Amino acid sequence: MIKVEHTLFALPFAFTGMFLAADGLPDMRTVGLIALAVLGARSGAMGFNRIADAKIDARNPRTEKRDIPAGKISVTEASLYVVLSFALYFFAAYLLNPLCFYLSPVPFIVFLLYSYTKRFTFLCHIVLGIALGIAPIGAWAAVTGNVNLGISMLGLAVLFWVSGFDIVYACQDIDFDRSEGLFSIPRFLGLAKSLMLARVFHLVAFALFFYTWHYFDMGYVYLAGILLSGGFMVYQHSIIKPSDLSKLGMAFFNLNAYISVTICIFTFIDIMVKRMI
């Protein structure tokens, strides 16, 4: 029901925030707890979303074969999975530090809220962006016990990046959303304007990534990672057109996974290079 690759959107940015906070690699206990927190949160959020959307998914030809509507997993089994996943998330937050534990209900509420937003607002894409944008901020707080402007800007960059590619992803359901009365930006703006808005969101995300390079006084390796990720964004939009969404799957999963992993790896390498110098 929940694929491992789904974590490739949030976990690399959580690790990016962790690397920046620790100026390298923190102790293995902290690394492990951050990974468990992200895994628990992401799995719980995705599982809850699958339960909340089960009836809608059953009516959508694109999603009717998902595990719950197809009868492969019962709602009871999925609910147990969600409870255990969120229990792991809260437990990991508790073990990290008091700030993480006190703030842990905030992402939890966002995760639950997102699953219902497309029923009443086209801002559902922004809410998803908030949910994933929390990842680097939470990891920074796990290491430092505080939050600052720089990491908040990184979280904002992730917000615009995620919101942008979610708008693109929603384009394939534009007719279904209209027939079901669901809310999405493509339903209201149409394909051409939605893809243009997604480009604007990714341009803002790129500018914010660039700002973090300046704020954290990072080196040229980090900058190269940002530029490479910007190239992935440009390529993503070049292969998707209002008249041809056939390559949307590759743009959504492959290229966006490349972006998060690239920034994470280049952040770590940059910090290690500076230490050697």
Side-chain angles (χ1 to χ4, degrees):
M1 180 175 67
I2 308 299
K3 298 180 179 179
V4 174
E5 53 263 35
H6 290 159
T7 311
L8 290 179
F9 297 133
L11 186 60
F13 275 111
F15 279 172
T16 298
M18 179 187 72
F19 294 146
L20 291 170
D23 195 27
L25 191 67
D27 61 272
M28 288 298 101
R29 177 182 180 276
T30 300
V31 174
L33 289 175
I34 289 174
L36 289 176
V38 174
L39 178 63
R42 179 64 173 163
S43 299
M46 286 291 296
F48 184 82
N49 182 256
R50 292 289 188 263
I51 295 170
D53 284 352
K55 292 182 179 179
I56 295 174
D57 287 343
R59 296 193 294 270
N60 188 340
R62 184 180 65 82
T63 59
E64 63 182 357
K65 293 185 179 180
R66 284 179 175 174
D67 289 345
I68 296 178
K72 297 177 182 178
I73 295 178
S74 69
V75 172
T76 300
E77 290 171 330
S79 298
L80 177 60
Y81 177 85
V82 169
V83 169
L84 292 175
S85 295
F86 278 132
L88 176 63
Y89 160 67
F90 282 114
F91 185 62
Y94 173 77
L95 293 178
L96 279 164
N97 61 47
L99 178 64
C100 287
F101 184 64
Y102 295 150
L103 294 180
S104 59
V106 176
F108 175 72
I109 293 171
V110 174
F111 300 150
L112 301 188
L113 174 65
Y114 165 69
S115 295
Y116 294 100
T117 49
K118 64 184 178 182
R119 291 162 172 81
F120 61 86
T121 176
F122 63 86
L123 296 178
C124 51
H125 314 285
I126 305 296
V127 178
L128 180 63
I130 294 172
L132 272 72
I134 292 171
I137 299 173
W140 175 283
V143 175
T144 65
N146 60 60
V147 175
N148 68 8
L149 176 63
I151 199 62
S152 298
M153 291 300 101
L154 180 59
L156 192 61
V158 175
L159 185 159
F160 276 99
W161 166 64
V162 170
S163 300
F165 74 63
D166 192 57
I167 291 172
V168 174
Y169 189 69
C171 286
Q172 62 190 322
D173 287 331
I174 184 170
D175 293 330
F176 178 77
D177 289 347
R178 285 171 176 164
S179 66
E180 291 285 321
L182 298 174
F183 290 73
S184 70
I185 285 178
R187 175 198 164 183
F188 286 96
L189 295 184
L191 291 178
K193 291 182 180 179
S194 295
L195 292 176
M196 180 59 68
L197 181 61
R199 294 187 186 105
V200 172
F201 274 27
H202 281 169
L203 182 61
V204 173
F206 179 79
L208 289 168
F209 284 134
F210 188 81
Y211 173 81
T212 62
W213 173 67
H214 171 73
Y215 183 92
F216 291 111
D217 193 26
M218 299 295 286
Y220 290 108
V221 176
Y222 183 85
L223 178 61
I226 293 173
L227 295 175
L228 182 58
S229 295
F232 287 137
M233 292 185 205
V234 171
Y235 180 65
Q236 174 182 170
H237 290 285
S238 73
I239 63 175
I240 300 176
K241 298 176 177 60
S243 59
D244 183 11
L245 300 177
S246 60
K247 297 181 180 179
L248 192 148
M250 181 180 75
F252 182 79
F253 287 106
N254 295 2
L255 293 174
N256 286 301
Y258 295 160
I259 289 169
S260 61
V261 172
T262 295
I263 292 180
C264 178
I265 292 175
F266 278 62
T267 299
F268 183 72
I269 294 175
D270 189 282
I271 293 173
M272 292 300 101
V273 169
K274 285 199 300 183
R275 282 191 172 186
M276 291 173 61
I277 297 175

